[in-house]
Amino acid sequence: MVFLNIIETSLPLTNPVLKFLIILIIILIAPIFLGKLKIPHILGLIIAGAIIGPNGFNLLLRDSSIILSGTAGLLYIMFLAGLEIDMAEFKRNSAKSFLFGMYTFLIPMIIGILVGIYILDFSTITSVLLASMFASHTLIAYPILSKFGVTKNRAVNISVGGTMITDILALLVLAVIVGMHNGEVNMQFWIKLSISILVFGFIVLYVFPIIGRWFLKKYQDKVSQYIFVLAMVFLGSFLAELAGVEAIIGAFLTGLALNRLIPTTSPLMNRIEFVGNAIFIPFFLIGVGMLVNYKAFISDFETIKVAAVMTITATSCKYIAAWLTQKSLNFSIDERRLIFGLSNAQAAATLAAVLIGYNVIIGETPDGEPIRLLGESILNGAIIMILITCTIATFVAQKGARNLSLSGTQTLEREENENEERILIPISNPETVEELINFSTLIKSKSNKHGLYALNIVLNNTSTEEENQRAKKILEKAEDMAASTDVFLQRLLRYDFNITNGITGVIKENNITDLVLGFHSGKAISENFLGKLTNGILSNSDATTFVYKAVQPMATIKRHVIIIPAFAENEIGFRFWLLKVWNISRNSGAKLLFYAPSRTLEILLEIQKLHQIEAEFKSYNTWNNFSEIAAEVMVDDNIILVLSRENQTSYNKEMNKTSDLITTYFPNNSFILIYPRQNGVSEEVLMGLNNPSLLPPIERLDKAAKDIFNYFKGSS
């Protein structure tokens, strides 16, 4: 009897434990059940919210807890859009984003005003506010694109940039209309709004990165880092509201500000995406579903009329904008689907506009009933419009994303030996494990099917049980670190009489293509170390070898300075290490600065045209004097020195003085030494890469570049 008394029997439920349990069950079951019906999980959560909400079975109210979690989910979507965007692509496409932003704002505004006045018979001010609802949109479908791995597509970049433009303009229209009603729109209003937006933008885009870099350098605790990022998101959102714009703008700009501090392959990014997709974003979608009032749709003809007109108008305008963008920029049909899918969903800004308009009283009826700027029929019609547009958007975005993802998978087909990337990380010091794993995930290609290999060598002649246990714990730590980035890591514990023999043996036994060696941050690199490396590992293995010393976390690096010797392009391993350097920029968004002879720069510039990243290229021919480069190197730069094995094409005797050069010119910077791979290309390629005398210079360049392009295409 006592047990029965504590069970709630009345609806809606108020027991917090039971409420949370029901929501978790929905988050778990809705995507699984509806996935079998080919219905996007996002739409499933919205439908589930409508079923359990106050207008459905009334299991739950859309109370403050749902609103709070939903608000966090909406901000999360916008933050992730800014965080995952390719910054180099975003800058290059700024003009295209502006074009789409104007299309997707002006077309709905013009058509919406005409529809409001001539079809729905609304007043001019009501029609303008209605049109601003059509112009704005929410990136509801963004998690779908993230799932299919197409968030860095140019169409997505343009859509996200255009979203910010149209939402800002639509919300400004809303602010002006409310201000006009309150009699506040004057010169002082515009000055105050302009100054507050400029101050807000400066703080978020320029001050936030400084704070973020300082915090991530100083504090390595994973929980603290996540809470810090979450706090920055809400701080940016609050500052946006203080400036007079919606919080979603602040969340997006915070994502842009922290973009380069949180690489896509980092454990922190993995935690951010996991918590958002598991908790916050589903809460938002369920909350949107709770707003749906199907009863109004079937009982009131005026609501049916308004909802139908609003839905058709909004969808048509967004499709026209997407179609014009596709034709103007020569995009594919699937890229148009991405643009339309991202821009058609009406939710956040639409809700803001309709609720504010509904609460603005412009008069009274003879019976004393309030006359609202936006009536109840528009409120209910907007909810129906949100449901239908979100449904259309999710289906269209899913189709476009799936097609592009399949197309991208096909480009990964290439020679078997190139597709079998295997990265080995010998580890012995617990203090360097985290940075070595982070660095390895940063250079890893998408086509990598084997994950990472972590190796610890226990010396047969001196090992003790304590040392054996220590080796196992270090490998377990490496495995945990890799798992936090969703990367599989294979642990290798080897017993050998010699560390060098152990490493080279594992390289041969496992067909290792890339070797990552760590160097303790508290020690200075010595000629003795390089000598043992050269005479031991380098002389007995052909793998691309990276020697990495981390002075600061890789995520806090602003720029990578790559110094390349003469004739590096003639080395067999040129394209292999170059792809890894390209991956650093792709996965972290950091800028690359190349110093190389003009002949090498020609190839790099050709690659840059086809596989664009944010990079700068400078001609440099003197290897033994880095004073000119050192003068431009800053505190947060990472130095990458491309070296060579002795007797190879790009080998220079001055490379024997590498430790002195680093100590003299870059004593306080992180650095990476790269020794190119010495096998893995066909005889035909060798003719073009290793024997320049057999071909005229321009033909040699074309031959080398073509082969490198094909390798990049297969690994991107």
Side-chain angles (χ1 to χ4, degrees), residues 72-196:
L74 173 60
L75 298 180
Y76 230 98
I77 291 175
M78 301 305 297
F79 172 64
L80 284 175
L83 194 62
E84 294 182 348
I85 199 169
D86 187 326
M87 288 299 293
E89 191 78 12
F90 186 67
K91 289 180 179 179
R92 282 193 299 271
N93 291 328
S94 57
K96 297 176 182 177
S97 294
F98 180 78
L99 176 67
F100 169 65
M102 297 314 296
Y103 278 153
T104 198
F105 174 74
L106 293 176
I107 293 172
M109 283 298 299
I110 294 170
I111 296 178
I113 292 173
L114 295 176
V115 165
I117 294 175
Y118 295 105
I119 296 181
L120 297 178
D121 198 27
F122 291 159
S123 66
T124 301
I125 191 170
T126 300
S127 298
V128 171
L129 185 55
L130 184 70
S132 72
M133 292 164 53
F134 300 151
S136 65
H137 57 255
T138 304
L139 300 173
I140 285 285
Y142 191 85
I144 292 178
L145 308 189
S146 183
K147 176 184 176 182
F148 282 99
V150 296
T151 54
K152 293 188 181 297
N153 182 278
R154 58 181 181 174
V156 178
N157 273 270
I158 288 168
S159 299
V160 171
T163 296
M164 289 304 98
I165 293 171
T166 189
D167 280 1
I168 289 173
L169 293 175
L171 294 169
L172 284 177
V173 170
L174 174 63
V176 171
I177 289 177
V178 173
M180 289 173 60
H181 179 264
N182 295 331
E184 298 175 351
V185 177
N186 48 36
M187 184 59 67
Q188 184 179 358
F189 169 84
W190 290 110
I191 293 174
K192 180 181 178 181
L193 182 64
S194 300
I195 293 175
S196 61

Side-chain angles (χ1 to χ4, degrees), residues 262-277:
I262 308 176
T264 56
T265 59
S266 66
L268 180 56
M269 174 66 87
N270 191 50
R271 281 188 289 275
I272 291 171
E273 290 181 331
F274 174 78
V275 176
N277 292 327

Side-chain angles (χ1 to χ4, degrees), residues 377-607:
S377 62
I378 299 179
L379 175 63
N380 292 326
I383 301 303
I384 300 300
M385 178 182 70
I386 288 171
L387 176 62
I388 296 175
T389 56
C390 287
T391 302
I392 295 172
T394 51
F395 275 106
V396 173
Q398 180 170 275
K399 183 175 183 180
R402 180 183 287 111
N403 291 345
L404 286 172
S405 179
L406 290 174
S407 174
T409 301
Q410 292 171 0
T411 65
L412 296 178
E413 297 177 359
R414 54 193 174 100
E415 296 179 14
E416 183 66 20
N417 68 318
E418 293 174 348
N419 198 34
E420 297 297 312
E421 177 184 84
R422 291 178 169 89
I423 301 175
L424 175 67
I425 316 162
I427 53 175
S428 60
N429 187 342
E431 295 181 17
T432 62
V433 170
E434 182 174 351
E435 277 304 314
L436 287 177
I437 296 296
N438 289 340
F439 172 68
S440 299
T441 58
L442 210 57
I443 64 173
K444 186 176 71 69
S445 301
K446 289 184 179 179
S447 58
N448 183 302
K449 300 187 299 184
H450 302 281
L452 306 175
Y453 294 78
L455 169 66
N456 192 288
I457 297 174
V458 178
L459 297 178
N460 270 338
N461 54 346
T462 61
S463 64
T464 63
E465 182 59 29
E466 183 180 349
E467 289 174 333
N468 292 340
Q469 293 301 320
R470 178 177 177 273
K472 292 178 181 179
K473 287 182 179 180
I474 292 175
L475 289 174
E476 289 174 0
K477 180 178 180 180
E479 188 176 34
D480 291 341
M481 284 299 307
S484 68
T485 62
D486 278 343
V487 173
F488 171 74
L489 182 140
Q490 184 173 337
R491 293 184 290 171
L492 301 175
L493 181 60
R494 187 181 182 94
Y495 294 87
D496 209 302
F497 289 100
N498 182 283
I499 292 178
T500 300
N501 289 342
I503 294 175
T504 55
V506 169
I507 290 174
K508 294 174 182 177
E509 292 166 9
N510 293 276
N511 297 318
I512 298 299
T513 59
D514 301 275
L515 175 66
V516 176
L517 300 173
F519 199 84
H520 196 285
S521 60
K523 297 180 181 179
I525 192 167
S526 65
E527 294 295 348
N528 184 46
F529 171 81
L530 293 179
K532 289 181 179 179
L533 177 68
T534 302
N535 296 326
I537 296 173
L538 295 180
S539 61
N540 290 287
S541 80
D542 294 318
T544 306
T545 302
F546 301 85
V547 180
Y548 175 43
K549 177 182 178 181
V551 174
Q552 65 187 79
M554 182 62 78
T556 63
I557 296 294
K558 283 186 178 180
R559 186 177 61 169
H560 298 273
V561 180
I562 304 100
I563 307 173
I564 305 174
F567 309 114
E569 71 277 11
N570 293 334
E571 293 247 6
I572 294 173
F574 177 68
R575 58 179 175 163
F576 297 101
W577 69 256
L578 188 60
L579 173 65
K580 299 301 184 289
V581 171
W582 233 257
N583 284 344
I584 290 175
S585 180
R586 285 169 172 164
N587 293 327
S588 69
K591 181 179 180 180
L592 304 183
L593 172 57
F594 289 93
Y595 284 94
S598 56
R599 207 173 195 185
T600 310
L601 290 181
E602 290 180 68
I603 292 180
L604 297 176
L605 288 168
E606 288 298 315
I607 296 172

Side-chain angles (χ1 to χ4, degrees), residues 208-210 212-213 216 257-263 268 555-557 588:
F208 275 25
I210 296 174
R213 182 168 282 104
L216 295 177
L258 302 181
N259 182 284
R260 288 177 171 167
L261 295 175
I262 308 176
L268 180 56
T556 63
I557 296 294
S588 69

